[in-house]
Amino acid sequence: MSETPQRLLIIDDDEMFCHVMQRAMTRRGFEVMVAHDADQALSHARQAPPQIATLDLKLEHSSGLKLLPDLLAIAPACRVVVLTGYSSIATAVEAIKLGAANYLCKPADADEILAALEQQDGNPDTEVADNPPSINRVTWEHIQKVLQEHDGNISATARALGMHRRTLQRKLQKRPVRR
């Protein structure tokens, strides 16, 4: 008797990433569903609740952080790894608080994602940086924290930071600064 494959839901607005990941995970024996936005993701989850999921933090018209609680309400046993090219401490903390099993920076391959999904406990041997983050990185982290406090509202965040909305939008379009 063969074992039923685990159901994986990939939620990402990058179609090429989804295609590559779908092929990789199908080859590893998963039953894969793909969603490019929150509505598709919730529809797939209602039809066939996934056991595991990858969730892009920054979807085209939404935030993965807003989708995460709704997804887990439909599939409470689902282990979710949040993926992002825009990592920050604030979003990592919020993702875990909201129920994500793990949080990875892109680019991440199928093996890294599976390892993150399988990891149950924290790693006390994780390296601690020798140098503090740069001022640019601290600025990026602060903007992300304030943005999170204002539920992703750009105008409210710009007011709270005392900057013009367009300036904030330009800063947010850039990739985060490395340490």
Side-chain angles (χ1 to χ4, degrees), residues 6-62:
Q6 274 196 306
R7 196 171 303 115
L8 164 66
L9 176 57
I10 299 170
I11 308 162
D12 200 304
D13 54 6
D14 181 340
E15 292 185 27
M16 182 57 73
F17 172 81
C18 289
H19 177 73
V20 169
M21 197 55 59
Q22 182 177 24
R23 282 184 38 214
M25 294 303 202
T26 299
R27 275 189 252 130
R28 286 167 173 78
F30 291 91
E31 178 187 326
V32 182
M33 302 175 292
V34 174
H36 298 294
D37 60 40
D39 292 337
Q40 276 184 335
L42 295 175
S43 176
H44 282 313
R46 284 186 196 98
Q47 290 172 1
Q51 285 91 18
I52 58 176
T54 65
L55 174 59
D56 189 18
L57 180 69
K58 203 169 178 178
L59 298 169
E60 190 171 337
H61 299 290
S62 181

Side-chain angles (χ1 to χ4, degrees), residues 166-179:
R166 285 197 181 135
T167 302
L168 177 59
Q169 286 175 316
R170 279 193 297 276
K171 286 181 178 285
L172 291 171
Q173 288 174 345
K174 295 179 183 176
R175 288 225 174 244
V177 179
R178 297 253 182 237
R179 302 258 164 215

